[in-house]
Amino acid sequence: MDHVVGAVPLAESLDERRHLLDVACRALGSPVAAERVVDEAYRRWYHLTDPERLRMPSPRVWLTRAVDEACLTRPAPAGPGGEEREIQPLRALCGEDVDPVEQARLTVAARRARPVSARREHEITVAVRQACSDQDGLRLRSLLAPDAMAFFDSGGKIRALSRPVRGEEQVARSLLVLLAGQRRVTLRTGSVNGRTGLVARCDDQVAAVLTLDIADALVIQIWAVLNPDKLRSWNRSLPG
């Protein structure tokens, strides 16, 4: 199959989390407690090694069992922390070492010696949106730098790629897998931290917010925030 190993479509990720929440809520009788238990199951998932996750015949079945066990052993864990209104992607990559991320930021700063105008940045972002919506891999690759990188900040709360993706081919494939399913997934431009970004909805829920770093008229990095906690303010404030 022509995709990045481990990439997960948004619709699949959200359906899986909703299923786990339903299982936990039926067992515990509390939506708040259910969310904590599901978060614990995903923490266990991300503590597996890459080979262990890739060998998993059914991640959904494994996670459901983890939720069942957590309901029995941890019915009332400690309360969750606060939420963020601004998108601040990749303070940590599900426990991964963040040094490569910081190094990538330095690469962006160095290459911005030839930045594009705000208008050109908007045009390129719109072009990326259209290529992703059309599932046009050839067009999408033409908008990416050869050494482009993509990061997926799930916060460890849904299944997603946990390591950076490198190279125009791999970045394009990972985005097309993430945003597949046009009957349920829609992609629009929007203001993200004062810049033009992309907002992906699955059904009526904001499921991802993407920001693009652009230099020399090519996308050199994409930051995809998938963490449900960081998207709560978007789901409260954006129109239906």
Side-chain angles (χ1 to χ4, degrees):
M1 183 179 293
D2 189 34
H3 64 75
V4 177
V5 175
V8 185
L10 276 177
E12 179 180 331
S13 292
L14 291 183
D15 286 348
E16 177 182 270
R17 184 172 175 86
R18 287 167 182 159
H19 164 72
L20 297 176
L21 288 169
D22 286 344
V23 170
C25 196
R26 286 197 301 270
L28 301 176
S30 165
V32 174
E35 187 163 350
R36 295 169 184 166
V37 163
V38 169
D39 289 349
E40 173 63 23
Y42 278 111
R43 279 193 290 272
R44 290 181 57 189
W45 169 263
Y46 280 109
H47 280 138
L48 297 174
T49 65
D50 288 344
E52 286 174 333
R53 289 198 296 264
L54 291 175
R55 288 197 300 268
M56 197 72 64
S58 175
R60 180 165 169 158
V61 169
W62 187 94
L63 284 162
T64 300
R65 290 172 180 166
V67 166
D68 286 339
E69 293 174 6
C71 286
L72 293 173
T73 60
R74 297 184 60 184
E83 62 193 59
E84 298 177 28
R85 289 184 176 273
E86 279 198 343
I87 294 300
Q88 301 292 342
L90 300 175
R91 290 184 178 178
L93 280 170
C94 302
E96 299 284 351
D97 188 346
V98 298
D99 287 346
V101 176
E102 297 306 318
Q103 182 60 47
R105 289 186 188 276
L106 295 175
T107 301
V108 171
R111 294 187 58 176
R112 276 182 172 166
R114 297 174 59 186
V116 297
S117 67
R119 178 176 179 178
R120 183 59 178 147
E121 182 178 74
H122 175 80
E123 292 172 348
I124 293 171
T125 303
V126 170
V128 170
R129 179 196 64 77
Q130 192 61 54
C132 289
S133 296
D134 293 341
Q135 289 285 292
D136 187 341
L138 183 62
R139 173 61 175 153
L140 183 55
R141 289 194 298 273
S142 73
L143 298 166
L144 302 173
D147 57 347
M149 298 181 69
F151 303 86
F152 302 88
D153 176 13
S154 72
K157 292 177 178 289
I158 62 171
R159 268 195 311 125
L161 290 169
S162 60
R163 296 181 184 275
V165 176
R166 297 175 173 84
E168 60 183 1
E169 180 75 17
Q170 295 291 86
V171 169
R173 290 180 181 184
S174 66
L175 288 178
L176 294 182
V177 171
L178 179 73
L179 300 169
Q182 271 61 44
R183 291 184 178 180
R184 296 181 59 193
V185 177
T186 58
L187 191 62
R188 299 287 185 267
T189 57
S191 178
V192 183
N193 296 340
R195 299 170 51 201
T196 301
L198 298 175
V199 179
R201 288 181 177 233
C202 182
D203 302 327
D204 59 351
Q205 177 179 350
V206 175
V209 173
L210 292 77
T211 56
L212 283 58
D213 287 318
I214 300 171
D216 299 327
L218 291 174
V219 178
I220 56 178
Q221 286 184 122
I222 297 176
W223 311 83
V225 175
L226 313 174
N227 184 339
D229 287 351
K230 293 183 180 180
L231 298 174
R232 282 177 179 167
S233 61
W234 285 81
N235 282 302
R236 285 197 300 264
S237 61
L238 290 185

